[in-house]
């Protein structure tokens, strides 16, 4: 689901991460989400510098702890089932879950009943993330409010240009930081139960398949809203 991409994006936004997520809608019954992502070794070193996030169990990596917490949050939702996230190796994971009600899932995870991030109405899925509703992500992903993350995120860096941001990252994280940020991306695929009628942004890659991609730095700065819609 798109939310899973957002959560993974936030968890790993201090470094290089490539996330691919497919959200498949059905006419009846449960919808499904499948996602996979890989992270560079550089990411591990960056997050381990945030000592307060190191798990008490030294046999559990910071990556595994973050993914485990995300999996538990999905399992606690009243609208999900078949939640499963697997560690393929040290730097790669894949996950799957079913869900019945998109709005209920967002509510269960803390976004509230009036969230405006992601809406499904009349067979149209609309996503919109900007500084105006960025605060709706915070209850879902408490990591956003942590002072260690704020230095990397859009609230702290409003008005900063991309070049200035990358220069700051180089100063904070070293020379590996800027290229790691630049090659990080999120790709979302929406499989629809009927042929796609229309869409904004992104591209149609099949009769019933839509794709939307954006670079990580677009989220980190949020200089412009990140939006798309697809109708079937």
């Amino acid at each position: 689901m798109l939310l899973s991409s957002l959560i993974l994006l936030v968890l790993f936004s201090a470094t290089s991460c490539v996330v691919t997520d497919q959200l498949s809608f059905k006419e009846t019954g449960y919808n499904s989400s499948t996602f996979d992502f890989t992270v560079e070794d550089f990411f591990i070193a960056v997050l381990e510098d945030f000592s307060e996030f190191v798990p008490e169990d030294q046999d559990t990596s910071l990556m595994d702890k973050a993914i485990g917490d995300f999996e538990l949050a999905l399992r606690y939702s009243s609208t999900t089932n078949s939640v499963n996230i697997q560690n393929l190796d040290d730097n790669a994971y894949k996950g799957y879950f079913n869900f019945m009600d998109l709005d209920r899932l967002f509510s269960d995870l803390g976004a509230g009943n009036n969230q405006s991030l992601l809406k499904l109405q009349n067979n149209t899925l609309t996503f919109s993330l900007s500084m105006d509703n960025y605060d709706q992500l915070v209850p879902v992903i408490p990591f956003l409010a942590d002072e260690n993350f704020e230095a990397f995120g859009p609230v702290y860096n409003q008005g900063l240009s991309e070049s200035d941001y990358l220069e700051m990252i180089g100063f904070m994280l070293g020379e590996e930081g800027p290229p790691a940020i630049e090659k990080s991306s999120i790709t979302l695929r929406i499989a629809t139960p009927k042929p796609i009628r229309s869409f904004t942004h992104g591209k149609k890659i099949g009769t019933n398949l839509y794709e939307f991609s954006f670079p990580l730095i677009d989220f980190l700065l949020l200089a412009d809203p990140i939006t798309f819609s697809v109708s079937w």
Side-chain angles (χ1 to χ4, degrees):
M1 196 193 73
L2 179 60
L3 182 58
S4 62
S5 283
L6 287 173
I7 291 174
L8 294 171
L9 172 65
V10 170
L11 289 174
F12 310 130
S13 58
T15 185
S16 182
C17 179
V18 178
V19 178
T20 301
D21 188 352
Q22 177 158 319
L23 177 62
S24 300
F25 286 99
K26 307 293 191 296
E27 290 196 60
T28 59
Y30 278 90
N31 307 301
S32 64
S33 173
T34 58
F35 54 90
D36 59 75
F37 64 96
T38 57
V39 185
E40 291 187 355
D41 289 336
F42 171 63
F43 156 76
I44 306 295
V46 169
L47 276 194
E48 285 181 349
D49 284 341
F50 299 122
S51 58
E52 60 221 72
F53 292 112
V54 175
E56 294 180 7
D57 181 358
Q58 296 302 313
D59 293 331
T60 301
S61 73
L62 194 57
M63 280 278 289
D64 288 342
K65 174 67 166 57
I67 295 303
D69 289 347
F70 174 46
E71 185 173 6
L72 281 176
L74 289 173
R75 290 184 184 277
Y76 283 141
S77 172
S78 60
T79 192
T80 61
N81 68 21
S82 302
V83 178
N84 183 265
I85 303 179
Q86 299 178 12
N87 182 353
L88 302 179
D89 59 39
D90 289 342
N91 293 343
Y93 293 77
K94 69 176 181 179
Y96 175 90
F97 65 92
N98 294 326
F99 67 96
M100 181 65 74
D101 186 322
L102 189 64
D103 285 338
R104 183 69 215 174
L105 178 57
F106 262 75
S107 178
D108 287 350
L109 294 175
N113 294 325
N114 297 317
Q115 64 87 19
S116 59
L117 294 164
L118 187 64
K119 290 289 186 181
L120 176 59
Q121 296 177 325
N122 301 319
N123 292 340
T124 296
L125 181 70
T126 302
F127 174 71
S128 179
L129 174 64
S130 69
M131 291 306 303
D132 291 336
N133 64 1
Y134 177 80
D135 62 316
Q136 295 175 14
L137 278 179
V138 177
V140 180
I141 316 168
F143 189 83
L144 286 171
D146 186 87
E147 61 183 12
N148 289 309
F149 173 78
E150 285 183 330
F152 299 103
V155 173
Y156 188 89
N157 294 293
Q158 287 185 64
L160 203 63
S161 69
E162 182 173 328
S163 59
D164 287 343
Y165 180 85
L166 292 173
E167 183 178 351
M168 178 196 74
I169 290 295
F171 177 77
M172 295 175 66
L173 304 180
E175 62 182 14
E176 292 179 273
I181 294 287
E182 289 181 298
K183 63 185 178 183
S184 296
S185 63
I186 300 295
T187 296
L188 309 167
R189 296 193 180 102
I190 310 297
T192 62
K194 297 179 180 179
I196 294 170
R197 295 185 290 107
S198 62
F199 61 91
T200 60
H201 305 128
K203 59 185 178 181
K204 180 179 173 181
I205 59 175
T207 302
N208 294 56
L209 191 61
Y210 164 84
E211 182 178 278
F212 176 74
S213 296
F214 62 95
L216 172 62
I217 197 166
D218 285 1
F219 170 80
L220 294 172
L221 294 177
L222 269 186
D224 298 303
I226 300 172
T227 64
F228 76 79
S229 68
V230 56
S231 301
W232 59 88

